[in-house]
Amino acid sequence: MTHWKNLLARSITTPEQLGRHFDFDVSALNPVYKQFPMRINPYYLGLIKTPGDPLWRQAVPDPQELDDDICLVDPLDEENRSPVENLVHTYPDRVLFLVSSQCAMYCRFCTRKRKVGTSRMLVTRETMREAFSYLRKNKEIRDVLISGGDPLLLSDETLVWLLDNLRAIPSIQIIRIGSRVPCTLPMRITTRLAGILKRYHPLYINTHFNHPDEITPEAAKACARLAGAGIPLGNQTVLLKGVNDNAATITKLMHGLLMIRVKPYYLFQADMTRGTNHFRTKVETGLEIMQAMIGYTSGMAVPTFALDAPGGGGKIPLSPNYLISLGKSVTLTNYLGAPCSYHNDLE
Ligand SMILES: *Cc1c(COP(=O)(O)O)cnc(C)c1O
Ligand code: SF4
C-alpha cells in the first residue's frame, strides 16, 4: 500500500479512538459522529495540540452540530441545480462537478455535510459518464470545477480516466480541481500524481487552508510539487468562529500561503449549513478583517471576501467601502481613512 493510503486507512473514525489520544471526555460526541461522519487521519491528528484548539474545532465532532434548527440542509440549493447527479450548474459558463464522496478529513463545517462521507452521496463511473455527456451537449460550459468530497482521494488510475474524458470535450477550456489534500493529507501529492496532473494543462488547483498551523513543511513540499508541475495554486478559506475569525490569524495565514506559492483566492463567509451554526460569524467580522488587510499588506495576500447566497444565488463579493460619492467628481477614502478625490468629468 502506498504511504498515503496507509495513513488514510489508519484514520480515527470514532470518539472512543480520539479519547485514547487526548485527556478529554468524548462521551457526548457519540450521537454526533453517527449523524455526521468523523475521520481524522494520523497526519492531521498530529497537528492538533490540545482539545478545543483551531485544528481540533475543524476536525472533532461537537454536540452543537445536533442543536441547529436555523440552518439549511442544502444551503446553496445544489440538489435542485443538478441537471444530472453530482453536477451543479448554477452559473452560465462553468459547473461544479462532484467526483468523490470521500475526504482525508471530514471538516465539521462542511457545506456538503448532508452527504459527504455518507451513503447519501453516490459517485460511480456511471454518474460521471452522465456528466460527460451533459458537458458535451452544453458547449457554453468552458470551465469545469472538480470537487467533492475530495477529488484527489480518487486513485491515480481513476483520475487519469476522468481527466482524459474531460480533455476529450473540446468546449472545455480550463479544468480546476478543488482539494483539501495539500492541507489535510499532503503525502497524497506524490511525484507520480504531479506528473499525471501536468498532462492536462491548463489545470488549476484551489486548495483549502484555514489556519496558519496547517502550513507545515509537509504542506509546503506538496505545494512545491504541484507548483513545480506548472499548476497555479489558489486557496479558499472559510471564516470560522473560534478558528480564524480575527485579522491577525487571517493575515498570518495569507502570508504563509504566499510563502508556499499559493495565491489567496476566496475568503468565504460560512454558509448556512445545518449542523454548522456554531461556526458562523457576523458579516461585519469579515469586512473588518478585509479592512485590516487592504493597503496594510501585499495586495497579493488579500483574497476576495464572498458570501455564497442561500438558495443558490451564487457567490457575492463583499468589500469594505472606500467610495464616498460618485458623480462628476468621485470622492473616496484611502485605507488610512484619508479623503481623496478624482475628476470623473469625462464623456
Ligand atoms: C463556487 C462555484 C463555482 C465557481 O465559482 P468561481 O467564482 O468561478 O470560482 C461554480 N459553480 C458552483 C455551483 C459553485 O458553487
Ligand atoms: S475537505 Fe471539503 S468537501 Fe471534504 S469535508 Fe472538508 S470542506 Fe467538506
Side-chain angles (χ1 to χ4, degrees), residues 91 266-269 283 287 304-310 312-319:
Y91 299 100
Y266 278 132
L267 173 65
F268 283 122
Q269 175 70 19
V283 171
L287 290 172
T304 298
F305 178 42
L307 181 155
D308 219 335
K315 294 175 181 73
I316 301 171
L318 298 170
S319 171

PDB file of all heavy atoms in Angstrom, residues 91 266-269 283 287 304-310 312-319:
ATOM      1  N   TYR A  91     -23.998  28.741 -12.697  1.00  0.00           N
ATOM      2  CA  TYR A  91     -23.538  29.886 -13.496  1.00  0.00           C
ATOM      3  C   TYR A  91     -23.569  29.519 -14.980  1.00  0.00           C
ATOM      4  O   TYR A  91     -23.513  28.343 -15.335  1.00  0.00           O
ATOM      5  CB  TYR A  91     -22.105  30.249 -13.116  1.00  0.00           C
ATOM      6  CG  TYR A  91     -21.925  30.659 -11.675  1.00  0.00           C
ATOM      7  CD1 TYR A  91     -21.429  29.754 -10.732  1.00  0.00           C
ATOM      8  CD2 TYR A  91     -22.245  31.942 -11.256  1.00  0.00           C
ATOM      9  CE1 TYR A  91     -21.248  30.134  -9.403  1.00  0.00           C
ATOM     10  CE2 TYR A  91     -22.065  32.322  -9.930  1.00  0.00           C
ATOM     11  CZ  TYR A  91     -21.569  31.421  -9.017  1.00  0.00           C
ATOM     12  OH  TYR A  91     -21.391  31.796  -7.714  1.00  0.00           O
ATOM     13  N   TYR A 266     -10.379  33.035  -2.399  1.00  0.00           N
ATOM     14  CA  TYR A 266     -11.581  33.469  -1.683  1.00  0.00           C
ATOM     15  C   TYR A 266     -11.415  33.359  -0.171  1.00  0.00           C
ATOM     16  O   TYR A 266     -10.772  32.427   0.329  1.00  0.00           O
ATOM     17  CB  TYR A 266     -12.775  32.583  -2.059  1.00  0.00           C
ATOM     18  CG  TYR A 266     -13.479  32.953  -3.348  1.00  0.00           C
ATOM     19  CD1 TYR A 266     -13.769  31.974  -4.292  1.00  0.00           C
ATOM     20  CD2 TYR A 266     -13.889  34.259  -3.605  1.00  0.00           C
ATOM     21  CE1 TYR A 266     -14.439  32.284  -5.478  1.00  0.00           C
ATOM     22  CE2 TYR A 266     -14.560  34.572  -4.785  1.00  0.00           C
ATOM     23  CZ  TYR A 266     -14.838  33.583  -5.710  1.00  0.00           C
ATOM     24  OH  TYR A 266     -15.506  33.895  -6.863  1.00  0.00           O
ATOM     25  N   LEU A 267     -12.037  34.290   0.518  1.00  0.00           N
ATOM     26  CA  LEU A 267     -12.326  34.148   1.950  1.00  0.00           C
ATOM     27  C   LEU A 267     -13.844  34.083   2.032  1.00  0.00           C
ATOM     28  O   LEU A 267     -14.521  35.027   1.627  1.00  0.00           O
ATOM     29  CB  LEU A 267     -11.789  35.362   2.730  1.00  0.00           C
ATOM     30  CG  LEU A 267     -12.160  35.424   4.224  1.00  0.00           C
ATOM     31  CD1 LEU A 267     -11.527  34.282   5.000  1.00  0.00           C
ATOM     32  CD2 LEU A 267     -11.715  36.770   4.831  1.00  0.00           C
ATOM     33  N   PHE A 268     -14.368  32.954   2.487  1.00  0.00           N
ATOM     34  CA  PHE A 268     -15.824  32.773   2.469  1.00  0.00           C
ATOM     35  C   PHE A 268     -16.473  33.058   3.816  1.00  0.00           C
ATOM     36  O   PHE A 268     -16.007  32.574   4.859  1.00  0.00           O
ATOM     37  CB  PHE A 268     -16.186  31.335   2.088  1.00  0.00           C
ATOM     38  CG  PHE A 268     -16.044  31.052   0.621  1.00  0.00           C
ATOM     39  CD1 PHE A 268     -15.211  30.043   0.180  1.00  0.00           C
ATOM     40  CD2 PHE A 268     -16.749  31.790  -0.318  1.00  0.00           C
ATOM     41  CE1 PHE A 268     -15.079  29.768  -1.165  1.00  0.00           C
ATOM     42  CE2 PHE A 268     -16.623  31.523  -1.675  1.00  0.00           C
ATOM     43  CZ  PHE A 268     -15.786  30.511  -2.101  1.00  0.00           C
ATOM     44  N   GLN A 269     -17.558  33.797   3.754  1.00  0.00           N
ATOM     45  CA  GLN A 269     -18.497  33.820   4.861  1.00  0.00           C
ATOM     46  C   GLN A 269     -19.046  32.395   4.980  1.00  0.00           C
ATOM     47  O   GLN A 269     -19.355  31.767   3.970  1.00  0.00           O
ATOM     48  CB  GLN A 269     -19.623  34.818   4.522  1.00  0.00           C
ATOM     49  CG  GLN A 269     -20.747  34.884   5.516  1.00  0.00           C
ATOM     50  CD  GLN A 269     -20.332  35.510   6.836  1.00  0.00           C
ATOM     51  OE1 GLN A 269     -19.310  36.209   6.922  1.00  0.00           O
ATOM     52  NE2 GLN A 269     -21.103  35.248   7.873  1.00  0.00           N
ATOM     53  N   VAL A 283     -21.277  39.067   9.373  1.00  0.00           N
ATOM     54  CA  VAL A 283     -20.648  39.571   8.130  1.00  0.00           C
ATOM     55  C   VAL A 283     -19.673  40.713   8.450  1.00  0.00           C
ATOM     56  O   VAL A 283     -18.618  40.847   7.817  1.00  0.00           O
ATOM     57  CB  VAL A 283     -21.745  40.011   7.130  1.00  0.00           C
ATOM     58  CG1 VAL A 283     -21.134  40.742   5.939  1.00  0.00           C
ATOM     59  CG2 VAL A 283     -22.539  38.792   6.647  1.00  0.00           C
ATOM     60  N   LEU A 287     -15.742  41.814   7.044  1.00  0.00           N
ATOM     61  CA  LEU A 287     -15.434  43.137   6.478  1.00  0.00           C
ATOM     62  C   LEU A 287     -14.324  43.820   7.272  1.00  0.00           C
ATOM     63  O   LEU A 287     -13.431  44.454   6.699  1.00  0.00           O
ATOM     64  CB  LEU A 287     -16.698  44.004   6.460  1.00  0.00           C
ATOM     65  CG  LEU A 287     -17.762  43.570   5.442  1.00  0.00           C
ATOM     66  CD1 LEU A 287     -19.049  44.371   5.639  1.00  0.00           C
ATOM     67  CD2 LEU A 287     -17.260  43.730   4.007  1.00  0.00           C
ATOM     68  N   THR A 304     -10.564  37.637  -2.064  1.00  0.00           N
ATOM     69  CA  THR A 304     -11.882  38.249  -2.213  1.00  0.00           C
ATOM     70  C   THR A 304     -12.792  37.662  -1.141  1.00  0.00           C
ATOM     71  O   THR A 304     -12.919  36.441  -1.033  1.00  0.00           O
ATOM     72  CB  THR A 304     -12.471  37.916  -3.602  1.00  0.00           C
ATOM     73  OG1 THR A 304     -11.606  38.466  -4.598  1.00  0.00           O
ATOM     74  CG2 THR A 304     -13.864  38.488  -3.774  1.00  0.00           C
ATOM     75  N   PHE A 305     -13.379  38.538  -0.349  1.00  0.00           N
ATOM     76  CA  PHE A 305     -14.334  38.089   0.676  1.00  0.00           C
ATOM     77  C   PHE A 305     -15.677  37.884  -0.032  1.00  0.00           C
ATOM     78  O   PHE A 305     -16.145  38.783  -0.742  1.00  0.00           O
ATOM     79  CB  PHE A 305     -14.424  39.150   1.770  1.00  0.00           C
ATOM     80  CG  PHE A 305     -15.402  38.851   2.881  1.00  0.00           C
ATOM     81  CD1 PHE A 305     -15.509  37.576   3.434  1.00  0.00           C
ATOM     82  CD2 PHE A 305     -16.198  39.869   3.404  1.00  0.00           C
ATOM     83  CE1 PHE A 305     -16.398  37.320   4.467  1.00  0.00           C
ATOM     84  CE2 PHE A 305     -17.080  39.629   4.437  1.00  0.00           C
ATOM     85  CZ  PHE A 305     -17.192  38.353   4.980  1.00  0.00           C
ATOM     86  N   ALA A 306     -16.270  36.708   0.112  1.00  0.00           N
ATOM     87  CA  ALA A 306     -17.514  36.428  -0.611  1.00  0.00           C
ATOM     88  C   ALA A 306     -18.486  35.638   0.249  1.00  0.00           C
ATOM     89  O   ALA A 306     -18.100  34.856   1.117  1.00  0.00           O
ATOM     90  CB  ALA A 306     -17.207  35.657  -1.897  1.00  0.00           C
ATOM     91  N   LEU A 307     -19.743  35.878  -0.057  1.00  0.00           N
ATOM     92  CA  LEU A 307     -20.839  35.168   0.601  1.00  0.00           C
ATOM     93  C   LEU A 307     -21.591  34.405  -0.484  1.00  0.00           C
ATOM     94  O   LEU A 307     -21.974  34.983  -1.493  1.00  0.00           O
ATOM     95  CB  LEU A 307     -21.741  36.204   1.285  1.00  0.00           C
ATOM     96  CG  LEU A 307     -22.969  35.792   2.072  1.00  0.00           C
ATOM     97  CD1 LEU A 307     -23.290  36.879   3.099  1.00  0.00           C
ATOM     98  CD2 LEU A 307     -24.186  35.544   1.199  1.00  0.00           C
ATOM     99  N   ASP A 308     -21.727  33.095  -0.290  1.00  0.00           N
ATOM    100  CA  ASP A 308     -22.465  32.291  -1.255  1.00  0.00           C
ATOM    101  C   ASP A 308     -23.932  32.355  -0.829  1.00  0.00           C
ATOM    102  O   ASP A 308     -24.291  31.902   0.264  1.00  0.00           O
ATOM    103  CB  ASP A 308     -21.928  30.845  -1.249  1.00  0.00           C
ATOM    104  CG  ASP A 308     -21.861  30.257  -2.652  1.00  0.00           C
ATOM    105  OD1 ASP A 308     -22.626  30.725  -3.525  1.00  0.00           O
ATOM    106  OD2 ASP A 308     -21.069  29.324  -2.870  1.00  0.00           O
ATOM    107  N   ALA A 309     -24.756  32.957  -1.688  1.00  0.00           N
ATOM    108  CA  ALA A 309     -26.117  33.299  -1.278  1.00  0.00           C
ATOM    109  C   ALA A 309     -26.963  32.046  -1.019  1.00  0.00           C
ATOM    110  O   ALA A 309     -27.014  31.154  -1.864  1.00  0.00           O
ATOM    111  CB  ALA A 309     -26.774  34.152  -2.360  1.00  0.00           C
ATOM    112  N   PRO A 310     -27.629  31.980   0.134  1.00  0.00           N
ATOM    113  CA  PRO A 310     -28.517  30.845   0.412  1.00  0.00           C
ATOM    114  C   PRO A 310     -29.579  30.745  -0.679  1.00  0.00           C
ATOM    115  O   PRO A 310     -30.076  31.760  -1.172  1.00  0.00           O
ATOM    116  CB  PRO A 310     -29.154  31.203   1.762  1.00  0.00           C
ATOM    117  CG  PRO A 310     -28.229  32.185   2.387  1.00  0.00           C
ATOM    118  CD  PRO A 310     -27.606  32.939   1.248  1.00  0.00           C
ATOM    119  N   GLY A 312     -28.938  29.396  -3.638  1.00  0.00           N
ATOM    120  CA  GLY A 312     -28.288  29.189  -4.931  1.00  0.00           C
ATOM    121  C   GLY A 312     -28.113  30.453  -5.744  1.00  0.00           C
ATOM    122  O   GLY A 312     -27.920  30.392  -6.959  1.00  0.00           O
ATOM    123  N   GLY A 313     -28.147  31.602  -5.109  1.00  0.00           N
ATOM    124  CA  GLY A 313     -27.957  32.872  -5.818  1.00  0.00           C
ATOM    125  C   GLY A 313     -26.539  33.071  -6.318  1.00  0.00           C
ATOM    126  O   GLY A 313     -26.272  33.951  -7.113  1.00  0.00           O
ATOM    127  N   GLY A 314     -25.616  32.263  -5.815  1.00  0.00           N
ATOM    128  CA  GLY A 314     -24.226  32.370  -6.250  1.00  0.00           C
ATOM    129  C   GLY A 314     -23.383  33.204  -5.298  1.00  0.00           C
ATOM    130  O   GLY A 314     -23.881  33.745  -4.302  1.00  0.00           O
ATOM    131  N   LYS A 315     -22.101  33.294  -5.634  1.00  0.00           N
ATOM    132  CA  LYS A 315     -21.145  33.984  -4.768  1.00  0.00           C
ATOM    133  C   LYS A 315     -21.244  35.483  -4.972  1.00  0.00           C
ATOM    134  O   LYS A 315     -21.216  35.957  -6.100  1.00  0.00           O
ATOM    135  CB  LYS A 315     -19.728  33.502  -5.086  1.00  0.00           C
ATOM    136  CG  LYS A 315     -19.518  32.036  -4.743  1.00  0.00           C
ATOM    137  CD  LYS A 315     -18.150  31.549  -5.167  1.00  0.00           C
ATOM    138  CE  LYS A 315     -17.941  30.086  -4.864  1.00  0.00           C
ATOM    139  NZ  LYS A 315     -18.692  29.181  -5.763  1.00  0.00           N
ATOM    140  N   ILE A 316     -21.323  36.201  -3.870  1.00  0.00           N
ATOM    141  CA  ILE A 316     -21.430  37.661  -3.925  1.00  0.00           C
ATOM    142  C   ILE A 316     -20.217  38.252  -3.223  1.00  0.00           C
ATOM    143  O   ILE A 316     -19.998  37.992  -2.043  1.00  0.00           O
ATOM    144  CB  ILE A 316     -22.736  38.132  -3.243  1.00  0.00           C
ATOM    145  CG1 ILE A 316     -23.949  37.501  -3.946  1.00  0.00           C
ATOM    146  CG2 ILE A 316     -22.817  39.655  -3.216  1.00  0.00           C
ATOM    147  CD1 ILE A 316     -25.273  37.727  -3.226  1.00  0.00           C
ATOM    148  N   PRO A 317     -19.392  39.027  -3.970  1.00  0.00           N
ATOM    149  CA  PRO A 317     -18.215  39.624  -3.319  1.00  0.00           C
ATOM    150  C   PRO A 317     -18.617  40.745  -2.367  1.00  0.00           C
ATOM    151  O   PRO A 317     -19.536  41.514  -2.664  1.00  0.00           O
ATOM    152  CB  PRO A 317     -17.394  40.160  -4.503  1.00  0.00           C
ATOM    153  CG  PRO A 317     -18.359  40.335  -5.613  1.00  0.00           C
ATOM    154  CD  PRO A 317     -19.506  39.390  -5.391  1.00  0.00           C
ATOM    155  N   LEU A 318     -17.932  40.823  -1.245  1.00  0.00           N
ATOM    156  CA  LEU A 318     -18.210  41.858  -0.252  1.00  0.00           C
ATOM    157  C   LEU A 318     -16.911  42.598   0.020  1.00  0.00           C
ATOM    158  O   LEU A 318     -15.861  41.988   0.151  1.00  0.00           O
ATOM    159  CB  LEU A 318     -18.691  41.229   1.059  1.00  0.00           C
ATOM    160  CG  LEU A 318     -19.983  40.426   0.985  1.00  0.00           C
ATOM    161  CD1 LEU A 318     -20.189  39.657   2.292  1.00  0.00           C
ATOM    162  CD2 LEU A 318     -21.158  41.345   0.734  1.00  0.00           C
ATOM    163  N   SER A 319     -17.005  43.920   0.091  1.00  0.00           N
ATOM    164  CA  SER A 319     -15.791  44.696   0.330  1.00  0.00           C
ATOM    165  C   SER A 319     -16.092  45.840   1.283  1.00  0.00           C
ATOM    166  O   SER A 319     -17.200  46.389   1.265  1.00  0.00           O
ATOM    167  CB  SER A 319     -15.274  45.257  -1.001  1.00  0.00           C
ATOM    168  OG  SER A 319     -14.235  46.165  -0.755  1.00  0.00           O
TER     169      SER A 319
END
